Amino acid sequence: MILVTGGHGFLGSYVVEKLRERGYLVFAPHSNLYDLRKQADIDAMFHVVRPDKVIHLAAACGGIGANQEYSGKFFYDNIMMGAQMLEAARVSGVSKFVQIGTACSYPKHTPVPFKEEDLWNGFPESTNGAYGVAKRALLTMCQAYRAQYGVNAVYLILTNLYGPRDEFRPHRSHAVAALIKKCVDAKCNGDSEITVWGDGTATREFLYVEDAADAIVMAMEKYDGGEPVNIGGGQEVSILELTRTIAGIVGYSGNIRFDPSKPNGQPKRRLDVSKAKNLFGFESKTSLGEGLSKTVEWYLKEGSNAA
Ligand SMILES: NC(=O)c1ccc[n+]([C@@H]2O[C@H](COP(=O)([O-])OP(=O)(O)OC[C@H]3O[C@@H](n4cnc5c(N)ncnc54)[C@H](OP(=O)(O)O)[C@@H]3O)[C@@H](O)[C@H]2O)c1
Protein backbone atom coordinates (compact mmCIF):
# COMPACT_ATOMS: atom_id res chain seq x y z
CA MET A 1 0.00 0.00 0.00
CA ILE A 2 1.26 3.45 -0.91
CA LEU A 3 0.20 6.31 1.33
CA VAL A 4 -0.06 9.59 -0.59
CA THR A 5 -0.62 12.63 1.61
CA GLY A 6 -2.15 15.61 -0.17
CA GLY A 7 -3.52 13.11 -2.69
CA HIS A 8 -6.61 15.23 -3.35
CA GLY A 9 -4.63 18.40 -4.03
CA PHE A 10 -3.57 19.70 -7.43
CA LEU A 11 -0.39 17.64 -7.91
CA GLY A 12 -1.50 14.81 -5.61
CA SER A 13 -4.59 14.01 -7.68
CA TYR A 14 -2.36 13.22 -10.69
CA VAL A 15 0.14 11.24 -8.62
CA VAL A 16 -2.70 9.08 -7.26
CA GLU A 17 -4.14 8.54 -10.76
CA LYS A 18 -0.78 7.55 -12.19
CA LEU A 19 -0.04 5.15 -9.34
CA ARG A 20 -3.46 3.48 -9.71
CA GLU A 21 -2.99 3.21 -13.51
CA ARG A 22 0.21 1.30 -12.76
CA GLY A 23 -1.63 -1.10 -10.48
CA TYR A 24 -0.55 0.21 -7.07
CA LEU A 25 -2.90 0.19 -4.11
CA VAL A 26 -3.13 3.76 -2.87
CA PHE A 27 -4.50 5.35 0.28
CA ALA A 28 -5.00 9.12 -0.03
CA PRO A 29 -6.77 10.68 2.94
CA HIS A 30 -8.22 14.18 3.18
CA SER A 31 -7.04 16.57 5.86
CA ASN A 32 -10.44 16.46 7.55
CA LEU A 33 -9.88 12.73 8.21
CA TYR A 34 -6.26 13.01 9.35
CA ASP A 35 -4.78 16.41 10.19
CA LEU A 36 -1.08 15.80 9.61
CA ARG A 37 -0.06 18.63 11.94
CA LYS A 38 -1.20 16.32 14.78
CA GLN A 39 1.00 13.39 15.72
CA ALA A 40 -2.01 11.47 17.10
CA ASP A 41 -3.76 11.66 13.71
CA ILE A 42 -0.60 10.52 11.93
CA ASP A 43 -0.12 7.60 14.33
CA ALA A 44 -3.77 6.56 13.87
CA MET A 45 -3.39 6.74 10.10
CA PHE A 46 -0.24 4.58 10.08
CA HIS A 47 -1.93 2.11 12.40
CA VAL A 48 -4.87 1.72 9.99
CA VAL A 49 -3.02 1.90 6.66
CA ARG A 50 0.33 0.23 7.42
CA PRO A 51 1.89 1.64 4.25
CA ASP A 52 4.88 0.11 2.49
CA LYS A 53 5.80 3.44 0.88
CA VAL A 54 4.90 7.07 1.59
CA ILE A 55 4.75 9.99 -0.83
CA HIS A 56 4.43 13.08 1.33
CA LEU A 57 2.89 15.82 -0.80
CA ALA A 58 0.61 17.50 1.73
CA ALA A 59 1.62 21.10 2.30
CA ALA A 60 0.41 24.55 3.11
CA CYS A 61 1.40 26.52 0.01
CA GLY A 62 0.33 29.20 -2.48
CA GLY A 63 1.57 32.12 -4.59
CA ILE A 64 3.57 35.17 -3.48
CA GLY A 65 0.57 36.86 -1.79
CA ALA A 66 -0.36 33.78 0.24
CA ASN A 67 3.28 33.22 1.20
CA GLN A 68 3.47 36.77 2.55
CA GLU A 69 0.15 36.66 4.36
CA TYR A 70 0.50 33.17 5.87
CA SER A 71 4.27 32.92 6.39
CA GLY A 72 3.86 31.68 9.98
CA LYS A 73 1.31 29.04 9.06
CA PHE A 74 3.35 27.92 6.06
CA PHE A 75 6.42 27.44 8.26
CA TYR A 76 4.61 25.65 11.09
CA ASP A 77 2.33 23.42 9.01
CA ASN A 78 5.04 22.28 6.62
CA ILE A 79 7.69 21.58 9.21
CA MET A 80 5.27 19.83 11.58
CA MET A 81 3.66 17.70 8.88
CA GLY A 82 7.00 16.72 7.34
CA ALA A 83 8.84 15.99 10.60
CA GLN A 84 6.03 13.96 12.13
CA MET A 85 5.32 12.05 8.92
CA LEU A 86 8.97 11.02 8.57
CA GLU A 87 9.17 9.98 12.22
CA ALA A 88 6.03 7.86 11.85
CA ALA A 89 7.44 6.35 8.66
CA ARG A 90 10.65 5.46 10.51
CA VAL A 91 8.78 3.85 13.39
CA SER A 92 6.56 1.84 11.06
CA GLY A 93 9.52 0.75 8.91
CA VAL A 94 8.39 1.87 5.44
CA SER A 95 10.60 0.86 2.51
CA LYS A 96 10.55 4.35 0.99
CA PHE A 97 9.63 7.89 1.97
CA VAL A 98 9.41 10.52 -0.78
CA GLN A 99 9.44 14.09 0.51
CA ILE A 100 8.36 16.78 -1.93
CA GLY A 101 10.45 19.95 -1.80
CA THR A 102 10.26 23.20 -3.73
CA ALA A 103 12.39 25.54 -5.83
CA CYS A 104 11.34 28.24 -3.32
CA SER A 105 14.01 26.77 -1.01
CA TYR A 106 16.88 27.94 -3.23
CA PRO A 107 18.76 31.09 -2.20
CA LYS A 108 17.41 34.32 -3.72
CA HIS A 109 20.41 34.90 -6.00
CA THR A 110 21.28 31.36 -7.09
CA PRO A 111 23.08 31.27 -10.46
CA VAL A 112 20.82 29.88 -13.23
CA PRO A 113 20.42 26.96 -13.72
CA PHE A 114 20.06 26.08 -10.03
CA LYS A 115 22.16 23.06 -9.09
CA GLU A 116 21.25 20.89 -6.12
CA GLU A 117 24.63 21.77 -4.52
CA ASP A 118 23.55 25.46 -4.43
CA LEU A 119 20.62 24.84 -2.09
CA TRP A 120 22.38 26.02 1.07
CA ASN A 121 24.33 28.98 -0.36
CA GLY A 122 22.07 31.66 1.10
CA PHE A 123 18.60 32.59 2.35
CA PRO A 124 15.64 32.23 -0.06
CA GLU A 125 13.77 35.20 -1.54
CA SER A 126 12.13 36.82 1.50
CA THR A 127 8.54 36.61 0.18
CA ASN A 128 8.71 32.80 0.33
CA GLY A 129 11.48 32.43 2.91
CA ALA A 130 9.42 30.78 5.66
CA TYR A 131 7.95 28.19 3.30
CA GLY A 132 11.30 27.60 1.59
CA VAL A 133 13.29 27.16 4.81
CA ALA A 134 10.68 24.83 6.36
CA LYS A 135 10.83 22.62 3.27
CA ARG A 136 14.64 22.79 3.12
CA ALA A 137 14.93 21.74 6.77
CA LEU A 138 13.08 18.55 5.85
CA LEU A 139 15.90 17.65 3.46
CA THR A 140 18.32 17.71 6.39
CA MET A 141 15.92 15.55 8.39
CA CYS A 142 15.62 13.05 5.51
CA GLN A 143 19.41 12.83 5.26
CA ALA A 144 19.85 12.53 9.03
CA TYR A 145 17.23 9.76 9.20
CA ARG A 146 18.98 7.94 6.36
CA ALA A 147 22.35 8.27 8.13
CA GLN A 148 21.23 7.31 11.65
CA TYR A 149 18.29 4.96 11.05
CA GLY A 150 18.75 3.78 7.45
CA VAL A 151 15.41 5.24 6.34
CA ASN A 152 15.20 5.28 2.53
CA ALA A 153 14.10 8.92 2.39
CA VAL A 154 14.25 10.58 -1.01
CA TYR A 155 13.92 14.33 -1.57
CA LEU A 156 12.67 15.93 -4.80
CA ILE A 157 12.85 19.68 -5.50
CA LEU A 158 9.97 20.70 -7.74
CA THR A 159 9.86 23.81 -9.85
CA ASN A 160 6.64 25.86 -10.38
CA LEU A 161 3.79 23.67 -11.58
CA TYR A 162 0.74 24.43 -13.70
CA GLY A 163 -2.03 22.54 -15.47
CA PRO A 164 -5.69 21.55 -15.32
CA ARG A 165 -7.15 21.42 -11.75
CA ASP A 166 -4.73 24.11 -10.57
CA GLU A 167 -5.93 26.52 -7.89
CA PHE A 168 -7.44 29.57 -9.64
CA ARG A 169 -8.84 31.42 -6.61
CA PRO A 170 -6.84 34.69 -6.47
CA HIS A 171 -5.71 34.43 -2.82
CA ARG A 172 -4.23 30.94 -3.38
CA SER A 173 -3.16 30.85 -7.04
CA HIS A 174 0.35 30.74 -8.52
CA ALA A 175 1.51 32.75 -11.54
CA VAL A 176 0.09 30.73 -14.45
CA ALA A 177 -3.38 30.24 -12.98
CA ALA A 178 -3.55 33.88 -11.85
CA LEU A 179 -2.61 35.13 -15.32
CA ILE A 180 -5.07 32.84 -17.09
CA LYS A 181 -7.89 34.05 -14.83
CA LYS A 182 -6.93 37.70 -15.34
CA CYS A 183 -6.89 37.35 -19.13
CA VAL A 184 -10.14 35.37 -19.29
CA ASP A 185 -11.95 37.77 -16.94
CA ALA A 186 -10.68 40.82 -18.86
CA LYS A 187 -11.75 39.33 -22.17
CA CYS A 188 -15.23 38.48 -20.82
CA ASN A 189 -15.65 41.92 -19.24
CA GLY A 190 -14.24 43.79 -22.26
CA ASP A 191 -11.53 45.40 -20.09
CA SER A 192 -8.91 47.36 -22.03
CA GLU A 193 -6.09 46.57 -19.58
CA ILE A 194 -4.90 43.96 -17.11
CA THR A 195 -2.49 44.63 -14.24
CA VAL A 196 0.21 42.09 -13.44
CA TRP A 197 2.28 41.95 -10.23
CA GLY A 198 5.94 43.01 -10.45
CA ASP A 199 7.81 44.52 -13.39
CA GLY A 200 7.66 41.49 -15.72
CA THR A 201 11.42 40.82 -15.70
CA ALA A 202 11.41 37.91 -13.22
CA THR A 203 11.95 34.57 -14.92
CA ARG A 204 10.42 31.24 -14.04
CA GLU A 205 10.49 27.67 -15.18
CA PHE A 206 7.15 25.89 -15.36
CA LEU A 207 6.50 22.18 -15.33
CA TYR A 208 3.26 20.64 -16.53
CA VAL A 209 1.62 18.90 -13.59
CA GLU A 210 1.31 15.48 -15.27
CA ASP A 211 5.03 15.52 -16.01
CA ALA A 212 5.71 16.33 -12.35
CA ALA A 213 3.52 13.39 -11.30
CA ASP A 214 5.44 11.10 -13.69
CA ALA A 215 8.71 12.26 -12.13
CA ILE A 216 7.49 11.44 -8.64
CA VAL A 217 6.34 7.96 -9.62
CA MET A 218 9.65 7.32 -11.44
CA ALA A 219 11.65 8.47 -8.42
CA MET A 220 9.54 6.28 -6.14
CA GLU A 221 10.25 3.28 -8.34
CA LYS A 222 13.87 3.88 -9.34
CA TYR A 223 15.71 6.30 -7.04
CA ASP A 224 17.05 5.30 -3.65
CA GLY A 225 19.64 8.00 -3.03
CA GLY A 226 19.98 10.58 -0.26
CA GLU A 227 20.93 13.50 -2.50
CA PRO A 228 18.14 15.93 -3.43
CA VAL A 229 17.07 15.92 -7.08
CA ASN A 230 15.65 18.84 -9.08
CA ILE A 231 12.47 18.23 -11.07
CA GLY A 232 11.81 20.84 -13.72
CA GLY A 233 10.95 21.54 -17.33
CA GLY A 234 14.32 23.05 -18.28
CA GLN A 235 12.80 26.12 -20.05
CA GLU A 236 13.04 29.65 -18.62
CA VAL A 237 10.47 32.32 -19.44
CA SER A 238 10.01 35.88 -18.19
CA ILE A 239 6.71 36.88 -16.61
CA LEU A 240 6.28 39.36 -19.49
CA GLU A 241 6.68 36.61 -22.13
CA LEU A 242 4.45 34.28 -20.12
CA THR A 243 1.71 36.90 -19.87
CA ARG A 244 1.87 37.60 -23.60
CA THR A 245 1.70 33.89 -24.41
CA ILE A 246 -1.30 33.34 -22.14
CA ALA A 247 -3.06 36.45 -23.52
CA GLY A 248 -2.50 35.06 -27.03
CA ILE A 249 -3.96 31.64 -26.15
CA VAL A 250 -6.95 33.22 -24.39
CA GLY A 251 -7.44 35.72 -27.24
CA TYR A 252 -7.14 38.77 -25.01
CA SER A 253 -5.72 41.72 -26.95
CA GLY A 254 -5.86 44.51 -24.33
CA ASN A 255 -2.93 46.30 -22.73
CA ILE A 256 -0.67 44.50 -20.21
CA ARG A 257 0.37 46.85 -17.40
CA PHE A 258 2.95 45.82 -14.80
CA ASP A 259 2.70 47.03 -11.19
CA PRO A 260 6.28 47.33 -9.87
CA SER A 261 4.99 48.24 -6.40
CA LYS A 262 4.08 44.50 -6.06
CA PRO A 263 6.90 41.98 -5.50
CA ASN A 264 8.58 40.11 -8.37
CA GLY A 265 9.49 37.23 -6.08
CA GLN A 266 12.77 35.49 -6.87
CA PRO A 267 14.52 37.37 -9.74
CA LYS A 268 15.45 34.31 -11.83
CA ARG A 269 14.48 30.68 -11.55
CA ARG A 270 15.37 27.63 -13.61
CA LEU A 271 16.60 24.29 -12.31
CA ASP A 272 19.43 22.18 -13.64
CA VAL A 273 17.48 19.03 -14.45
CA SER A 274 20.35 16.77 -15.48
CA LYS A 275 20.44 14.69 -12.27
CA ALA A 276 16.82 13.55 -12.65
CA LYS A 277 17.59 12.34 -16.17
CA ASN A 278 20.79 10.57 -15.15
CA LEU A 279 19.49 9.02 -11.93
CA PHE A 280 16.02 7.82 -12.95
CA GLY A 281 15.48 8.82 -16.56
CA PHE A 282 13.03 11.70 -16.03
CA GLU A 283 12.60 14.37 -18.72
CA SER A 284 9.57 16.62 -19.09
CA LYS A 285 7.45 15.85 -22.16
CA THR A 286 5.03 18.75 -22.39
CA SER A 287 6.11 22.05 -23.97
CA LEU A 288 4.98 25.27 -22.28
CA GLY A 289 2.75 26.19 -25.23
CA GLU A 290 1.02 22.80 -25.24
CA GLY A 291 0.59 22.74 -21.47
CA LEU A 292 -0.79 26.28 -21.35
CA SER A 293 -3.30 25.52 -24.12
CA LYS A 294 -4.54 22.45 -22.21
CA THR A 295 -4.78 24.47 -19.01
CA VAL A 296 -6.73 27.32 -20.61
CA GLU A 297 -9.05 24.79 -22.28
CA TRP A 298 -9.73 23.10 -18.93
CA TYR A 299 -10.26 26.42 -17.15
CA LEU A 300 -12.78 27.60 -19.75
CA LYS A 301 -14.74 24.31 -19.46
CA GLU A 302 -14.52 23.52 -15.75
CA GLY A 303 -12.23 25.74 -13.74
CA SER A 304 -14.03 29.07 -13.93
CA ASN A 305 -16.87 27.73 -11.74
CA ALA A 306 -14.45 27.02 -8.90
CA ALA A 307 -12.42 30.24 -9.19
N1 LIG B 1 2.03 23.82 -7.05
C1 LIG B 1 3.29 24.13 -7.27
O1 LIG B 1 3.62 24.95 -8.14
C2 LIG B 1 4.38 23.46 -6.47
C3 LIG B 1 5.72 23.76 -6.78
C4 LIG B 1 6.74 23.15 -6.05
C5 LIG B 1 6.42 22.25 -5.05
N2 LIG B 1 5.12 21.99 -4.77
C6 LIG B 1 4.84 21.03 -3.69
O2 LIG B 1 3.99 20.02 -4.20
C7 LIG B 1 3.12 19.55 -3.19
C8 LIG B 1 1.68 19.63 -3.67
O3 LIG B 1 1.36 20.98 -3.98
P1 LIG B 1 -0.04 21.37 -4.60
O4 LIG B 1 0.16 22.60 -5.41
O5 LIG B 1 -0.68 20.18 -5.20
O6 LIG B 1 -0.82 21.81 -3.29
P2 LIG B 1 -2.39 21.76 -2.94
O7 LIG B 1 -3.22 21.63 -4.17
O8 LIG B 1 -2.63 22.94 -2.05
O9 LIG B 1 -2.55 20.44 -2.13
C9 LIG B 1 -2.02 20.35 -0.84
C10 LIG B 1 -2.67 19.21 -0.14
O10 LIG B 1 -2.15 19.17 1.18
C11 LIG B 1 -3.18 18.73 2.03
N3 LIG B 1 -2.99 19.31 3.37
C12 LIG B 1 -2.77 20.61 3.69
N4 LIG B 1 -2.74 20.76 5.03
C13 LIG B 1 -2.97 19.52 5.56
C14 LIG B 1 -3.06 19.02 6.86
N5 LIG B 1 -2.94 19.83 7.95
N6 LIG B 1 -3.30 17.71 7.04
C15 LIG B 1 -3.43 16.89 5.97
N7 LIG B 1 -3.34 17.29 4.70
C16 LIG B 1 -3.11 18.60 4.49
C17 LIG B 1 -4.49 19.22 1.43
O11 LIG B 1 -5.47 18.25 1.74
P3 LIG B 1 -7.06 18.55 1.75
O12 LIG B 1 -7.39 18.98 0.35
O13 LIG B 1 -7.66 17.27 2.11
O14 LIG B 1 -7.26 19.66 2.74
C18 LIG B 1 -4.18 19.29 -0.05
O15 LIG B 1 -4.71 18.19 -0.73
C19 LIG B 1 3.42 20.40 -1.95
O16 LIG B 1 4.30 19.68 -1.13
C20 LIG B 1 4.10 21.64 -2.51
O17 LIG B 1 4.97 22.21 -1.57
C21 LIG B 1 4.09 22.56 -5.45
Side-chain angles (χ1 to χ4, degrees), residues 6 15 18 58 68 71 76 78 81 101 122-123 141 149 182 186 226 242-243 254 266 279 284 289 298:
V15 171
K18 285 184 186 285
Q68 287 182 306
S71 55
Y76 180 84
N78 290 314
M81 285 197 273
F123 194 78
M141 183 168 174
Y149 305 118
K182 263 184 210 284
L242 177 71
T243 311
Q266 192 158 27
L279 290 169
S284 73
W298 178 85

Side-chain angles (χ1 to χ4, degrees), residues 85-141:
M85 280 295 299
L86 182 52
E87 170 63 3
R90 175 188 77 79
V91 170
S92 82
V94 301
S95 68
K96 180 91 149 267
F97 184 90
V98 181
Q99 169 68 51
I100 303 303
T102 166
C104 291
S105 295
Y106 273 102
K108 177 170 181 175
H109 295 294
T110 307
V112 171
F114 298 5
K115 293 186 189 313
E116 289 87 347
E117 305 81 75
D118 296 329
L119 194 61
W120 298 97
N121 293 343
F123 194 78
E125 151 64 29
S126 61
T127 48
N128 57 240
Y131 169 63
V133 169
K135 284 277 192 168
R136 192 161 79 170
L138 295 171
L139 167 61
T140 300
M141 183 168 174

Side-chain angles (χ1 to χ4, degrees), residues 31-89:
S31 59
N32 57 9
L33 186 58
Y34 297 112
D35 181 343
L36 305 180
R37 292 168 302 183
K38 298 178 181 164
Q39 187 73 55
D41 281 20
I42 292 179
D43 291 346
M45 179 175 73
F46 271 78
H47 183 72
V48 170
V49 184
R50 302 197 178 281
D52 172 45
K53 295 184 172 70
V54 174
I55 301 180
H56 178 48
L57 286 150
C61 53
I64 294 177
N67 266 286
Q68 287 182 306
E69 192 173 350
Y70 303 116
S71 55
K73 174 181 170 58
F74 282 12
F75 191 92
Y76 180 84
D77 286 11
N78 290 314
I79 200 113
M80 294 306 284
M81 285 197 273
Q84 295 181 131
M85 280 295 299
L86 182 52
E87 170 63 3

Side-chain angles (χ1 to χ4, degrees), residues 61-291:
C61 53
I64 294 177
N67 266 286
Q68 287 182 306
E69 192 173 350
Y70 303 116
S71 55
K73 174 181 170 58
F74 282 12
F75 191 92
Y76 180 84
D77 286 11
N78 290 314
I79 200 113
M80 294 306 284
M81 285 197 273
Q84 295 181 131
M85 280 295 299
L86 182 52
E87 170 63 3
R90 175 188 77 79
V91 170
S92 82
V94 301
S95 68
K96 180 91 149 267
F97 184 90
V98 181
Q99 169 68 51
I100 303 303
T102 166
C104 291
S105 295
Y106 273 102
K108 177 170 181 175
H109 295 294
T110 307
V112 171
F114 298 5
K115 293 186 189 313
E116 289 87 347
E117 305 81 75
D118 296 329
L119 194 61
W120 298 97
N121 293 343
F123 194 78
E125 151 64 29
S126 61
T127 48
N128 57 240
Y131 169 63
V133 169
K135 284 277 192 168
R136 192 161 79 170
L138 295 171
L139 167 61
T140 300
M141 183 168 174
C142 285
Q143 291 174 328
Y145 268 46
R146 177 179 291 272
Q148 183 178 349
Y149 305 118
V151 176
N152 186 10
V154 162
Y155 191 93
L156 304 177
I157 305 173
L158 269 56
T159 196
N160 296 54
L161 309 178
Y162 72 100
R165 305 181 204 156
D166 202 348
E167 175 61 79
F168 283 83
R169 287 171 297 177
H171 62 291
R172 289 282 321 272
S173 58
H174 296 88
V176 169
L179 290 171
I180 290 175
K181 179 168 163 49
K182 263 184 210 284
C183 289
V184 170
D185 286 355
K187 187 181 172 192
C188 292
N189 299 333
D191 297 341
S192 60
E193 184 170 90
I194 57 166
T195 303
V196 179
W197 275 29
D199 62 12
T201 60
T203 65
R204 291 288 177 275
E205 174 195 29
F206 294 99
L207 179 64
Y208 190 63
V209 63
E210 287 206 53
D211 290 348
D214 281 335
I216 291 168
V217 173
M218 288 169 88
M220 185 204 79
E221 289 178 337
K222 298 181 188 160
Y223 180 57
D224 288 318
E227 293 308 313
V229 184
N230 286 335
I231 304 293
Q235 254 187 308
E236 194 174 350
V237 62
S238 72
I239 296 298
L240 171 61
E241 288 170 79
L242 177 71
T243 311
R244 285 186 178 149
T245 306
I246 289 173
I249 293 169
V250 168
Y252 173 67
S253 52
N255 187 38
I256 298 168
R257 189 177 76 83
F258 283 91
D259 177 0
S261 72
K262 299 287 188 198
N264 269 342
Q266 192 158 27
K268 288 192 172 301
R269 186 179 285 177
R270 175 166 62 87
L271 304 184
D272 180 329
V273 291
S274 52
K275 258 193 186 170
K277 186 176 177 196
N278 296 337
L279 290 169
F280 46 87
F282 170 72
E283 275 184 292
S284 73
K285 294 190 285 227
T286 313
S287 71
L288 185 61
E290 186 192 347

